[in-house]
Amino acid sequence: MSSTLLRTSAVRSGLRVSAPKAARAGLAGTTFIRGKATLPDLAYDYGALEPAISGQIMELHHSKHHQTYVTSFNTFSEQIAEAAATSNIQQQIALQPLINFHGGGHVNHSLFWENLAPKSQGGGEPPKGELAGKINDAYGSLEKFQGEFNKALAGIQGSGWAWLVQDNVTKDVVIKTYANQDPVIGQFRPILGIDAWEHAYYLQYQNRKAEYFKAIWDVINWKAAEKRLA
């Protein structure tokens, strides 16, 4: 499947807002306004992660699902600002879960796109340096870590994410799962996350989600993960 090459860093563009885009997923020529979230660009084509993740899934996941989180987060943020301006405390409380959910979806997916890279750009190459050392210390080897991570993914009931996180105090790394779109905040910092929602794999793998959990390691961007270490 052909697609427009998207070049800008996900995190850099994750806090911008765009004017209406063209029908294609490409964001070339988009103008940005401060103050709102926007759909981040990708550093690779939608089809560049095949066969691990199909171009069809990537296009739908990025341009439809993630865009919904961005749009909803902006909408509910405006509503809660209006509620705050009128001292409507009940409305602010009612809106907070929606902001948390859609904001978390935006943050999680923005990190997820950076977690991935085509093999031609280093996807699947094992971690090196400090991150490799921390994984070996915690799990014995990369292979054992991947096995434990896939067990954590398979154990998620319903929708959620599995993350390799770093404890902000001890600096150790550990696998943790989060329900729905809950983001990694507080005691831990996100290092590497994998989306276990059905929309991330179902069109390609259907009910064989274990195959998706195994295949995605072929396109994991460990260089991006390394940069997130404190």
Side-chain angles (χ1 to χ4, degrees):
M1 175 183 295
S2 63
S3 57
T4 304
L5 184 62
L6 307 173
R7 300 183 185 277
T8 305
S9 163
V11 169
R12 287 201 308 270
S13 59
L15 297 177
R16 300 177 301 178
V17 63
S18 66
K21 301 189 296 295
R24 289 294 296 165
L27 300 179
T30 297
T31 58
F32 297 97
I33 305 168
R34 285 184 178 273
K36 291 187 178 181
T38 190
L39 183 70
D41 301 347
L42 303 183
Y44 41 81
D45 289 340
Y46 286 135
L49 303 180
E50 293 182 346
I53 306 177
S54 73
Q56 183 185 25
I57 284 180
M58 285 299 298
E59 185 165 6
L60 288 171
H61 198 171
H62 176 258
S63 68
K64 302 299 182 183
H65 289 281
H66 191 171
Q67 180 64 69
T68 296
Y69 294 125
V70 170
T71 301
S72 298
F73 173 75
N74 288 333
T75 297
F76 295 128
S77 293
E78 291 175 357
Q79 291 178 7
I80 203 169
E82 293 172 359
T86 59
S87 299
N88 188 334
I89 296 175
Q90 288 181 318
Q91 182 71 350
Q92 292 177 68
I93 293 171
L95 287 167
Q96 193 61 59
L98 295 170
I99 290 175
N100 291 348
F101 178 81
H102 292 285
H106 174 45
V107 169
N108 289 341
H109 283 87
S110 294
L111 294 173
F112 182 56
W113 309 133
E114 288 194 340
N115 286 168
L116 306 174
K119 288 189 174 182
S120 62
Q121 297 178 24
E125 293 181 3
K128 300 176 182 178
E130 183 181 5
L131 180 55
K134 286 184 177 295
I135 289 173
N136 288 336
D137 289 344
Y139 295 97
S141 69
L142 178 62
E143 291 73 21
K144 291 179 180 178
F145 160 76
Q146 289 172 329
E148 291 301 314
F149 201 102
N150 285 357
K151 286 181 184 178
L153 283 165
I156 294 172
Q157 300 296 313
S159 300
W161 294 71
W163 291 90
L164 176 66
V165 302
Q166 184 180 28
D167 189 302
N168 287 318
V169 177
T170 67
K171 305 304 180 185
D172 295 331
V173 296
V174 65
I175 297 167
K176 294 186 72 65
T177 59
Y178 289 75
N180 300 315
Q181 293 297 351
D182 290 351
V184 181
I185 55 175
Q187 180 181 350
F188 302 102
R189 68 167 49 238
I191 304 299
L192 173 73
I194 293 180
D195 190 347
W197 281 64
E198 283 191 347
H199 64 235
Y201 64 86
Y202 197 82
L203 283 176
Q204 182 176 358
Y205 293 97
Q206 298 177 354
N207 65 321
R208 306 183 311 277
K209 64 181 180 180
E211 293 182 19
Y212 160 68
F213 299 152
K214 181 179 179 180
I216 199 170
W217 295 107
D218 290 338
V219 291
I220 288 295
N221 184 353
W222 285 106
K223 293 179 181 177
E226 174 89 29
K227 293 177 181 178
R228 296 189 189 136
L229 285 175

